[in-house]
Amino acid sequence: MGRPTVRDDLRALEGYHSPQLDVTVRLNTNEAPAAPPVAFAEAVAAAATEIEWHRYPDRGATELRRRIAELHSVDGVTVDPSQVFVANGSNEVLQTVLLTFAGPGRTVATFEPTYALHQHITRLVGAVGVEGQRNDDFTLDADEIRSVVAEHRPSVTFLCSPNNPTGMVDPEVLVDVALDAVDAVDGLLVVDEAYGQFNPTSAIGRIADDVPLVVSRTYSKTWAMAGARLGYLIGPAWLIAELDKVVLPYHLDAMKQAAGLAALDFVDEMDERVAAIVEERGRVSARLTELGCHVWPSGSNFILFRPPSGDGAAVWQGLVDRSVLVRNTASWPGLDGCLRVTIGTAADNTVFLDALADVLGSGD
Ligand SMILES: *Cc1c(COP(=O)(O)O)cnc(C)c1O
């Protein structure tokens, strides 16, 4: 008996890796530092007893869409439930967008360095990825957006702000530039706002029926629910209806819908957590600078930095030896020698900073 052949275009594919190690302090995947409030877990447990387990879940996730729409109907913006699409993590949201608007024979544009999954999912759906480039300081030029979109005429163009792995926020004007560019080639702009709660501005306010824009969000980071796999997208109602045709029926289980709903009763608690993380981010950033690291300005819950030696890989190993895990981005294209650290609890951050001082030989 032989081995069936993998699709030609996937044979060279490497799986997505986010290596985990058994360490004391894990600051490598941008998760929230603490579990959601206990009252949230209790609400989910109570909801579980109400679920009709023998029935398929509400396919339209009606109540969850309604509450998410409500959450984003603030500051003069109105979001209708028909403008909300929910899926198993924003990765499945993005996959559904690409299955619907990209696919074989179509092109998808990103601006690197950015979230690796944008190009990875592009390959999974059989589309061609093109990579525009950010500047050396990781800012993005309007002209780069215009020329990449005009040259390659992508069906889907990604922006990510705050951007992972740099942590930087793109100026709002780039969304307008990108919208003009993609509209001229009948393309779609996706703005990935996985870290949107850390940034006072959002592209959600620009969404309208005749604007080729969708914005994706996730419960994985601020909502402290990476374990639940829940994400969503806000966009024109007609476009959401197309996504609903493509995603598998009943993809969003009843338990997850209940968890997503319960979380929305704890908005104030989550806002407080965001504020606490931002404060800690200031402390970590200041100390990194003091230790001689180059630190990029972060509008998210993580910081990209380059150790003074420029040898990120060696520093990463030194941290692992001290039972601290950060993301080793040192060999990623454009990120030469850099490391990315998630903001954790104050205690975890202190362990990280002390370990780093030790590794850098300035343990004062
Ligand atoms: C973490 C992250 C996500 C989240 O993906 P989920 O599937 O919702 O966990 C999406 N986009 C970016 C840029 C991220 O960093």
Side-chain angles (χ1 to χ4, degrees):
M1 303 274 274
R3 296 187 180 195
T5 317
V6 171
R7 249 167 58 191
D8 287 347
D9 58 328
L10 291 186
R11 228 174 286 158
L13 187 79
E14 286 191 34
Y16 176 74
H17 293 294
S18 183
Q20 294 294 352
L21 291 174
D22 192 13
V23 292
T24 314
V25 172
R26 283 203 336 210
L27 300 173
N28 62 324
T29 45
N30 297 348
E31 293 150 326
V38 172
F40 160 81
E42 288 168 355
V44 175
T49 65
E50 302 285 309
I51 288 172
E52 290 190 284
W53 288 97
H54 60 304
R55 300 289 184 195
Y56 281 106
D58 172 14
R59 188 171 170 181
T62 320
E63 187 60 10
L64 185 55
R65 287 188 196 208
R66 190 182 68 71
R67 290 286 305 279
I68 291 172
E70 213 174 81
L71 176 74
H72 288 288
S73 293
V74 286
D75 302 332
V77 174
T78 308
V79 176
D80 188 81
S82 64
Q83 296 179 300
V84 181
F85 174 77
V86 194
N88 295 282
S90 51
N91 287 332
E92 193 190 40
V93 168
L94 300 177
Q95 181 190 53
T96 309
V97 170
L98 293 183
L99 282 170
T100 310
F101 289 95
R106 294 193 173 199
T107 299
V108 175
T110 59
F111 297 91
E112 305 292 324
T114 189
Y115 187 48
L117 259 302
H118 296 161
Q119 284 289 342
H120 185 78
I121 301 171
T122 295
R123 290 191 68 180
L124 295 184
V125 305
V128 173
V130 295
E131 299 186 353
Q133 298 298 326
R134 290 173 172 270
N135 299 312
D136 288 345
D137 63 359
F138 302 135
T139 57
L140 178 56
D141 277 343
D143 282 344
E144 176 71 358
I145 299 176
R146 289 190 192 100
S147 70
V148 166
V149 172
E151 181 184 345
H152 298 283
R153 308 180 67 80
S155 301
V156 178
T157 298
F158 278 99
L159 289 180
C160 184
S161 180
N163 187 34
N164 182 5
T166 64
M168 288 165 64
V169 175
D170 287 330
E172 281 187 279
V173 64
L174 289 188
V175 174
D176 298 316
V177 167
L179 279 175
D180 282 345
V182 305
D183 195 37
V185 300
D186 294 328
L188 172 67
L189 176 65
V190 179
V191 180
D192 185 335
E193 293 187 354
Y195 305 94
Q197 289 91 343
F198 293 90
N199 181 18
T201 64
S202 167
I204 291 174
R206 288 174 166 77
I207 286 164
D209 257 1
D210 55 353
V211 178
L213 168 70
V214 295
V215 177
S216 68
R217 293 269 180 133
T218 180
Y219 277 74
S220 296
K221 310 289 160 59
T222 310
W223 289 101
M225 283 171 61
R229 310 304 302 125
L230 190 57
Y232 57 92
L233 172 144
I234 300 179
W238 69 265
L239 187 149
I240 304 297
E242 296 298 331
L243 300 183
D244 278 330
K245 293 182 202 165
V246 172
V247 76
L248 293 176
Y250 306 113
H251 67 297
L252 210 65
D253 65 78
M255 191 72 245
K256 185 169 312 200
Q257 294 187 34
L261 272 172
L264 298 181
D265 288 334
F266 296 92
V267 173
D268 291 346
E269 286 83 348
M270 287 305 148
D271 286 346
E272 281 166 28
R273 286 159 181 243
V274 168
I277 289 170
V278 168
E279 197 173 320
E280 271 295 299
R281 187 181 72 201
R283 180 174 79 91
V284 173
S285 169
R287 179 66 176 144
L288 286 171
T289 305
E290 207 173 88
L291 290 171
C293 299
H294 184 97
V295 179
W296 280 271
S298 171
S300 57
N301 69 340
F302 59 90
I303 295 175
L304 186 75
F305 67 99
R306 183 184 280 131
S309 60
D311 192 351
V315 171
W316 180 83
Q317 187 59 53
L319 290 170
V320 170
D321 294 344
R322 288 158 182 80
S323 211
V324 175
L325 183 61
V326 301
R327 194 67 185 267
N328 185 2
T329 54
S331 62
W332 291 15
L335 295 183
D336 222 11
C338 295
L339 299 175
R340 191 194 71 189
V341 62
T342 306
I343 304 302
T345 60
D348 281 356
N349 299 333
T350 298
V351 171
F352 157 69
L353 289 169
D354 290 349
L356 182 67
D358 195 33
V359 172
L360 296 178
S362 51
D364 43 33

